[in-house]
């Protein structure tokens, strides 16, 4: 998982993903790639810019891809990421889901 915060994006060492306040908003940003590549690391600049512009942290799941993992693994991994955000304390109303390409599903 990648978490972008307005000043840093570090794939090797993600930031803490617990809410910093009871009403913190967070973006669950699903990378594109047609579910055959997960381009999460290559788009770090997009996550950073999104975080800066919207003044919210960005949580990016790296999902399993085809052909090694067939449907519905990728959407299931994204759903699991959403459940993780709920589990660590984010409220459903404070999670915005964004995506590009196939992740628009």
């Amino acid at each position: 998982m990648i978490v972008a915060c307005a000043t840093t994006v570090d794939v090797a060492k993600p930031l803490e993903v617990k809410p910093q306040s009871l009403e913190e908003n967070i973006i669950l940003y699903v990378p594109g790639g047609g579910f055959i590549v997960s381009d999460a690391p290559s788009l770090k600049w997009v996550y950073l810019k999104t975080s800066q512009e919207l003044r919210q942290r960005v949580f990016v799941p790296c999902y399993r891809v085809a052909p090694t993992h067939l449907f519905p693994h990728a959407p299931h991994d994204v759903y699991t990421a959403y459940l993780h955000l709920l589990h660590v304390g984010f409220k459903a109303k404070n999670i915005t889901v964004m995506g590009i390409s196939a992740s628009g599903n």
Side-chain angles (χ1 to χ4, degrees):
M1 305 293 174
I2 298 170
V3 177
C5 191
T7 57
T8 183
V9 178
D10 187 351
V11 178
K13 190 174 183 182
L15 301 171
E16 184 64 45
V17 188
K18 293 183 180 178
Q20 296 173 343
S21 72
L22 291 175
E23 293 299 322
E24 181 186 3
N25 294 311
I26 193 164
I27 298 167
L28 173 59
Y29 196 112
V30 185
F35 297 129
I36 57 172
V37 294
S38 179
D39 57 1
S42 65
L43 291 176
K44 290 188 290 186
W45 67 272
V46 172
Y47 314 136
L48 179 57
K49 187 68 173 167
T50 301
S51 179
Q52 288 174 333
E53 292 292 325
L54 299 177
R55 297 180 186 177
Q56 296 178 28
R57 289 191 292 164
V58 175
F59 184 72
V60 183
C62 294
Y63 50 79
R64 293 174 284 178
V65 297
T68 307
H69 302 283
L70 301 178
F71 182 85
H73 286 112
H76 180 267
D77 292 346
V78 173
Y79 178 64
T80 301
Y82 173 76
L83 293 178
H84 175 72
L85 290 175
L86 294 174
H87 178 75
V88 298
F90 286 95
K91 296 177 184 176
K93 69 178 186 173
N94 296 342
I95 301 171
T96 302
V97 180
M98 293 178 68
I100 56 172
S101 186
S103 62
N105 283 302

